[in-house]
């Protein structure tokens, strides 16, 4: 097994170690954020090594196959988790992030024709690399908005139904979660906008379906962003949008890779 | 493995608390904070005494000491005499003084339980940890502690932390006031939280004070008797509002605590719907302490509004208490294992 796959497997295990005992401890009420933070950090270091090594092996930013894209998004999600989690006091985000990242990396291993050996490009177009990287980090921001949306919906339900127990005490205030969702959607939208702007400068044209899907995702999140900004819907309804909306970029990734 | 030191047999604790002694006696023998440094010196200066720490809170007065007396009874007798002398108790008061006299492992077990909040009136409360720490610091600064008490108190703090980290004894709310704070904290950032009291009853005052002590930003008080509203607002550093003005100010606050004596609903869904429009989806927590209720229960169905009446608050507090009681056995197990580890019991 190549080194990048070994590192990836180890990082997946680290995330799994992070989520299983932490989730058990969380529901029994003995949870402490450090128990989750440490395996997440170890997983991220191993994951970074895997992405770097894979990049070296294929001679470009590894984003060409579905398995590589899943790994790159998973890496971006963990990166954003470390950047976004502490300022918004949503350390619990890790509990919800770890299963998603574990599932994405697990999926990357089992899909048919995982991690193909695509030849190194003779000449790398930096705009293509930048366009793809920005788009995938934007998707990671949407993924985190989705996770934060789920957290909001849980906490909102606990408050409304008077279910004051284990998880209620661990989740952040709904007002903070609503702000975090909004900022993550705006961040993702900004990154995706830059990615699409870069696409106008490409020397190597990329296929139409890819661009169409990327624009479709941009339109969807622009709409969600406007709804949030204009406060057309309640925070609960926008949390639903952020949570369910991520299905579209997730499907578009699969479509993008299958349509070259 | 920790060495069992025979010197632990010279450890003694004399105390009285809310279980053994009524408040009128406790207040008589409490050491004011400023007098504790003097008290620790006095205890150490007693014949046959070497070290001392005095813990004096509203719920307990305890003296931890080491001695060179032949038996613990004699040392405890000396401490009782000191307390009677120190507080100038009349013979009948001295007669009524009920204390617990513990030595060696029993004294250590008691201290470990106290630090962990297991001996507190509110099971699992955390304030006592800081109070014991402060008492120890005073004795340390006064130079009345040495090897045995220094070691004992360090071990006690470590046990207290272990109990809190490994159990959920401190989690959940056990009183209506603390439930209100927990709820407010899960809706808003408490530092930005503006509170309104409608009605100035005792329980709403307690809730508001709990919120303020945990950092709530501001408070508005409205009451049928405006003088009472002014009085309460002044006491809590807030502002008073005339009773016919609270409705217009509702959209400016994040938590409403209502406790009027009105025989009908004073807060209705139509009013809150109007308020929520003005709040632009900012969540609103309403705590209805009144009986009969002040707030129409249909209000809880409005988007972004979270309504809790007195029964809901009481149920949460009861469940918090039960949860803590369930943890008691696990806490005692930790304490016993630590007592064995430190050589207090075999």
């Amino acid at each position: 097994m190549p080194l990048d796959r070994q590192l990836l497997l180890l990082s997946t295990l680290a995330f799994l170690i992070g989520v299983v005992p932490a989730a058990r401890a969380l529901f029994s009420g003995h949870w402490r954020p450090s128990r989750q933070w440490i395996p997440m950090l170890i997983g991220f270091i191993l994951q970074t090594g895997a992405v770097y090594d894979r990049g070296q092996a294929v001679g470009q930013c590894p984003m060409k196959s579905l398995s590589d894209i899943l790994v790159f998004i998973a890496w971006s999600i963990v990166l954003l988790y470390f950047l976004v989690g502490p300022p918004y006091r949503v350390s619990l985000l890790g509990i919800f992030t770890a299963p998603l990242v574990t599932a994405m990396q697990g999926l990357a291993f089992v899909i048919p024709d995982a991690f193909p050996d695509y030849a190194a490009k003779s000449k790398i177009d930096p705009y293509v690399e930048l366009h793809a990287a920005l788009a995938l980090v934007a998707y990671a921001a949407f993924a985190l908005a989705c996770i934060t949306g789920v957290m909001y919906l849980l906490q909102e339900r606990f408050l409304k139904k008077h279910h004051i127990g284990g998880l209620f005490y661990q989740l952040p205030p709904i007002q903070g979660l609503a702000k975090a969702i909004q900022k993550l959607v705006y961040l993702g939208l900004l990154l995706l906008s830059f990615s699409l702007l870069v696409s106008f400068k490409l020397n190597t044209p990329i296929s139409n379906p890819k661009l169409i899907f990327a624009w479709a995702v941009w339109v969807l999140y622009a709409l969600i962003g406007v709804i949030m900004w204009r406060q057309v819907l309640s925070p609960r309804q926008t949390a639903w949008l952020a949570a369910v909306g991520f299905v579209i970029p997730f499907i578009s990734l699969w479509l993008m890779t299958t349509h070259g | 493995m920790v060495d069992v030191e025979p010197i632990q047999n010279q450890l003694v604790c004399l105390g009285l608390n809310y279980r053994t002694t009524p408040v009128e006696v406790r207040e008589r023998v409490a050491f004011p904070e400023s007098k504790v440094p003097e008290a620790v010196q006095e205890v150490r200066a007693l014949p046959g005494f070497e070290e001392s720490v005095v813990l004096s809170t509203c719920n307990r007065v305890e003296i931890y000491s080491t001695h060179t007396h032949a038996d613990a009874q004699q040392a405890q007798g000396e401490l009782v005499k000191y307390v009677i002398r120190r507080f100038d108790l009349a013979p009948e008061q001295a007669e009524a003084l009920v204390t617990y006299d513990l030595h060696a492992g029993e004294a250590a077990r008691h201290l470990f339980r106290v630090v962990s909040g297991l001996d507190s009136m509110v099971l699992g409360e955390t304030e006592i940890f800081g109070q014991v720490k402060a008492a120890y610091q005073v004795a340390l600064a006064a130079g009345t502690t040495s090897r045995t008490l220094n070691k004992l108190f360090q071990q006690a703090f470590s046990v207290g932390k272990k109990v809190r980290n490994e159990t959920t004894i401190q989690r959940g709310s056990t009183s209506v006031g603390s439930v209100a704070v927990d709820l407010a904290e899960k809706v808003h950032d408490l530092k930005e939280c503006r509170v309104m009291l409608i009605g100035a009853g005792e329980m709403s005052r307690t809730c508001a004070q709990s919120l303020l002590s945990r950092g709530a930003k501001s408070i508005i008080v409205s009451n049928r008797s405006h003088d009472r509203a002014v009085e309460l607002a002044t006491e809590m550093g807030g502002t008073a509002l005339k009773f016919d003005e609270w409705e217009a100010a509702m959209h400016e606050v994040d938590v409403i605590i209502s406790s009027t004596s009105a025989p009908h609903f004073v807060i209705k869904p139509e009013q809150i719907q109007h308020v929520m429009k003005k709040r632009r989806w900012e969540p609103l927590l309403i705590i209805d302490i009144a009986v009969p209720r002040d707030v129409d229960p249909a209000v809880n169905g409005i988007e972004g509004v979270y309504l809790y009446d007195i029964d809901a608050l009481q149920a949460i507090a009861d469940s918090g208490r039960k949860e803590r009681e369930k943890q008691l056995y696990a806490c005692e197990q930790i304490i016993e294992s630590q007592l064995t580890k430190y050589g207090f019991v075999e």
Side-chain angles (χ1 to χ4, degrees):
Chain A
M1 189 187 272
L3 179 64
D4 63 278
R5 245 57 55 86
Q6 289 176 30
L7 290 171
L8 196 63
L9 198 61
L10 288 172
S11 85
T12 311
L13 283 175
F15 293 133
L16 197 62
I17 286 167
V19 73
V20 176
R24 208 173 51 203
L26 176 72
F27 285 97
S28 68
H30 296 176
W31 184 73
R32 274 182 294 161
S34 61
R35 287 186 185 165
Q36 234 253 313
W37 193 81
I38 295 163
M40 287 294 281
L41 184 65
I42 294 168
F44 179 66
I45 293 166
L46 291 164
Q47 199 186 28
T48 307
V51 172
Y52 174 79
D53 199 68
R54 176 74 176 154
Q56 291 289 315
V58 296
Q60 57 190 289
C61 200
M63 294 176 291
K64 212 174 169 185
S65 70
L66 183 57
S67 45
D68 283 318
I69 286 175
L70 285 170
V71 171
F72 194 85
I73 292 181
W75 175 80
S76 310
I77 287 173
V78 185
L79 175 71
L80 287 176
Y81 155 70
F82 280 115
L83 295 177
V84 172
Y88 292 110
R89 292 190 292 148
V90 280
S91 54
L92 196 65
L93 198 59
I95 283 281
F96 295 84
T97 304
L100 178 68
V101 171
T102 309
M104 286 173 86
Q105 294 193 169
L107 193 64
F109 273 106
V110 297
I111 55 170
D113 196 23
F115 303 105
D117 286 326
Y118 39 87
K121 288 177 183 171
S122 52
K123 192 183 170 197
I124 291 175
D125 182 348
Y127 288 115
V128 172
E129 303 289 310
L130 184 64
H131 158 77
L134 280 172
L136 293 186
V137 179
Y139 282 19
F142 295 144
L144 276 187
C146 158
I147 294 168
T148 315
V150 171
M151 288 165 74
Y152 178 97
L153 293 169
L154 277 173
Q155 186 70 310
E156 210 270 344
R157 191 175 165 77
F158 291 148
L159 278 164
K160 209 64 162 171
K161 302 278 176 195
H162 301 178
H163 291 160
I164 310 301
L167 194 54
F168 168 81
Y169 289 108
Q170 309 289 354
L171 284 164
I174 50 165
Q175 203 187 26
L177 286 169
K179 281 182 188 163
I181 296 168
Q182 219 169 350
K183 290 191 176 171
L184 282 164
V185 167
Y186 292 156
L187 174 70
L189 197 57
L190 189 73
L191 289 166
L192 192 58
S193 305
F194 278 129
S195 165
L196 290 171
L197 278 177
V198 171
S199 71
F200 291 113
K201 299 274 287 176
L202 302 181
N203 298 320
T204 324
I206 53 173
S207 65
N208 275 341
K210 272 189 180 178
L211 269 182
I212 290 167
F213 290 133
W215 275 106
V217 172
W218 185 88
V219 169
L220 171 78
Y221 277 93
L223 200 65
I224 295 176
V226 171
I227 286 170
M228 285 175 170
W229 177 55
R230 299 289 303 162
Q231 296 175 318
V232 178
L233 298 175
S234 69
R236 188 180 62 85
Q237 288 160 328
T238 43
W240 269 111
L241 275 183
V244 177
F246 186 63
V247 172
I248 306 298
F250 200 79
I251 292 170
S252 81
L253 282 173
W254 175 73
L255 291 173
M256 277 185 206
T257 46
T258 51
H259 287 76
Chain B
M1 193 66 195
V2 178
D3 291 339
V4 180
E5 293 183 34
I7 198 162
Q8 286 165 357
N9 291 329
Q10 303 308 114
L11 176 65
V12 67
C13 166
L14 177 94
L16 50 93
N17 65 16
Y18 65 95
R19 284 201 199 95
T20 63
T21 314
V23 67
E24 46 282 12
V25 182
R26 286 206 314 273
E27 65 193 8
R28 185 85 178 81
V29 297
F31 291 91
E33 206 181 319
S34 59
K35 299 285 178 194
V36 175
E38 194 181 299
V40 286
Q41 297 285 8
E42 287 168 356
V43 173
R44 200 185 56 165
L46 294 172
F49 284 84
E50 290 178 327
E51 299 174 72
S52 72
V53 173
V54 172
L55 171 67
S56 184
T57 72
C58 53
N59 281 330
R60 68 184 66 245
V61 176
E62 289 176 351
I63 301 172
Y64 293 87
S65 194
T66 57
H67 63 92
T68 54
H69 289 279
D71 70 289
Q73 298 282 352
Q74 200 185 341
Q76 278 149 355
E78 286 295 330
L79 287 177
V80 172
K81 276 187 217 161
Y82 163 72
V83 172
I84 294 169
R85 201 170 53 244
R86 175 72 170 74
F87 294 101
D88 201 15
L89 299 183
E92 63 277 12
Q93 288 173 318
E95 192 71 28
L97 192 67
V98 180
T99 59
Y100 37 87
D101 310 314
L102 308 164
H103 79 280
E106 283 303 312
R109 178 181 286 113
H110 177 74
L111 179 62
F112 290 2
R113 293 187 84 254
V114 167
V115 169
S116 305
L118 306 191
D119 198 52
S120 297
M121 198 182 263
V122 177
L123 183 65
E125 59 101 1
T126 51
E127 200 184 350
I128 188 69
F129 188 92
Q131 289 168 328
V132 176
K133 214 163 190 174
Y136 170 65
Q137 292 296 342
V138 168
L140 192 67
T144 61
T145 62
S146 187
R147 196 161 170 232
T148 305
L149 286 192
N150 283 340
K151 207 167 170 183
L152 174 73
F153 276 82
Q154 292 307 333
Q155 287 165 345
F157 299 137
S158 147
V159 171
K161 281 181 195 157
K162 197 172 171 64
V163 165
R164 285 192 166 83
N165 287 337
E166 294 180 12
T167 70
T168 52
I169 191 72
Q170 83 286 11
R171 208 183 64 185
S173 314
T174 54
S175 68
V176 168
S178 57
V179 171
V181 174
D182 276 354
L183 293 171
E185 270 181 339
K186 293 300 175 189
V187 176
H188 296 278
D189 176 0
L190 214 49
K191 286 189 185 73
E192 298 299 318
C193 202
R194 296 154 300 178
V195 183
M196 178 190 271
L197 287 189
I198 306 172
E202 191 48 38
M203 204 183 268
S204 62
R205 180 173 160 271
T206 308
C207 286
Q209 264 174 343
S210 301
L211 284 165
L212 285 173
S213 69
R214 294 276 283 271
K217 191 179 172 185
S218 61
I219 190 148
I220 297 171
V221 185
S222 186
N223 193 47
R224 270 184 213 286
S225 152
H226 189 60
D227 290 348
R228 173 76 185 123
V230 172
E231 187 190 322
L232 194 58
T234 312
E235 186 191 318
M236 292 195 282
T239 48
L241 207 62
K242 292 216 168 93
F243 199 68
D244 55 358
E245 289 172 354
W246 62 261
E247 203 179 326
M250 259 202 299
H251 69 280
E252 291 169 9
V253 298
D254 307 300
V255 178
I256 296 172
I257 302 171
S258 186
S259 65
T260 75
S261 49
H264 50 76
F265 294 142
V266 291
I267 299 178
K268 296 176 186 128
E270 317 79 82
Q271 289 167 297
I272 296 298
Q273 259 153 358
H274 185 62
V275 165
M276 291 310 280
K277 263 185 204 157
K278 282 189 179 171
R279 287 179 65 77
R280 299 184 70 93
W281 304 115
E282 281 294 306
L284 177 66
L285 174 66
I286 304 178
I287 293 170
D288 181 4
I289 303 176
V291 179
R293 288 173 297 176
D294 279 345
V295 188
D296 186 334
V299 160
N300 195 45
I302 299 170
E303 187 87 43
V305 181
Y306 307 97
L307 169 66
Y308 287 76
D309 62 25
I310 188 68
D311 280 0
L313 296 172
Q314 202 58 62
I316 296 166
D318 288 346
S319 133
R321 268 193 295 275
K322 277 181 197 146
E323 281 301 312
R324 288 188 181 197
E325 277 159 17
K326 275 190 209 161
Q327 292 293 312
L328 202 52
Y329 178 72
C331 298
E332 300 282 11
Q333 292 287 97
I334 292 172
I335 289 173
E336 287 310 311
S337 74
Q338 296 302 297
L339 283 167
T340 309
K341 181 184 161 189
Y342 294 134
F344 288 104
V345 293
E346 286 178 18

